[in-house]
Amino acid sequence: MALQIFSPKIQQPLKFIFPSPANNGCSSVFVPCAYSPSRRLALFQLTTAITQSQLFNGKAAESLNAEGEVIESEMIAELAQSNIALSDENASDWIKKDKRRMLHVVYRVGNLDKTIKFYSECLGMKLLRKRDIPEERYSNAFLGYGPEESNFAVELTYNYGVDKYDIGTGFGHFGIAIEDVAKMVDLVKVEGGKIVQEPAPIKDGGPIIALVEDPDGYNFELLERGPTLEPFRQVMLRVGDLDQSINFYKRAFGMELLRKTVDPDNKNTIAIMGYGPEDKNAVLELTYIYGVKSYDKGNGYAQIAVGTDDVYKTAEAIKLYGGEIVVEPGPLPGLNTKIMACVDPDGWKTVFVDNADFMKELE
């Protein structure tokens, strides 16, 4: 797939080619796009707005030089930054020092205004920003419980004319912490939302929990807990080999295994992974259901974004630990924001974003 982006400093469009099953690995789809400094992370436009399937098919992107010759993205990364070769010891030390934080989660919805209303009135989120990009036929909105500089957020994407998505069986739920679960469940009922599980204590006298469904079918687990600076608790994804996933997220992503719970009665085991205590940070919940090795990911859920001080070193470390890079590190077309993207052993995508560039994008 080819993406064409116009720059105010370059009269001719910049052309980027992405591998496709047809046309000997490339197809030509051109999307004119006027550059605006206020635009956030063009990568998310690619992964959530332009297509509902994986754009890169596990292959690296390519671009053209001034003479029209194809330059492999690995070469672009080398031109942008000197060659990086990390040993296991160096990679481990650097990952420990890297300032990483889960920034936001990206997924697609069928009616943006309806979902914003539900999240605002029922789940207590705030609309942080909203934008419409008619030339690219999509709109999106960022919502959360605090500023993006410090809090986790959700990025909702609406693609023109698409009112329904297949969530699949791999995505589990989002988790939020609130002071009164029963009250929030009543609000959801008033708004016509679906109650998947009525409020009830966790076994052994634990806190009250409930499960509700948003207008697009995404589940939210509500946990009763006192006031917290980060009410957004977790993103839950199902995996086929929990030990493999734990090892990958610890070594390649630098996450901590915060806790692991074996539940033979319900035939599952969960691992909570993150960059800090789960009562103060959004975390990743990996769930293994006994005997299930693979899942259908659908086309609704997209990815998690994580901040890093150096996308180039991050990419090298992930390669070192067996990860697959689907977007090579480097600046986005028309922007200076540096990113890279990879998939975990189960194919779940994560985008790493340069911390300094991310903060500039929020200005």
Side-chain angles (χ1 to χ4, degrees), residues 51 208 242:
T51 182
I208 303 293
L242 188 59

Side-chain angles (χ1 to χ4, degrees), residues 123 176 178 181 184-185 208-210 212 220-224:
L123 303 183
I176 57 176
I178 54 175
V181 169
M184 182 167 286
V185 167
I208 303 293
I209 65 167
V212 302
F220 279 80
E221 181 184 79
L222 313 180
L223 173 71
E224 193 159 283

Side-chain angles (χ1 to χ4, degrees), residues 173-176 209-211 219-223 233-234 285:
H173 63 256
F174 302 117
I176 57 176
I209 65 167
L211 196 66
N219 284 337
F220 279 80
E221 181 184 79
L222 313 180
L223 173 71
R233 295 172 47 233
Q234 61 189 212
E285 177 182 329

Side-chain angles (χ1 to χ4, degrees), residues 203 263-268 289-290:
K203 63 180 182 179
D263 187 353
D265 292 339
N266 291 311
K267 297 184 179 180
N268 68 65
I289 299 175
Y290 296 178

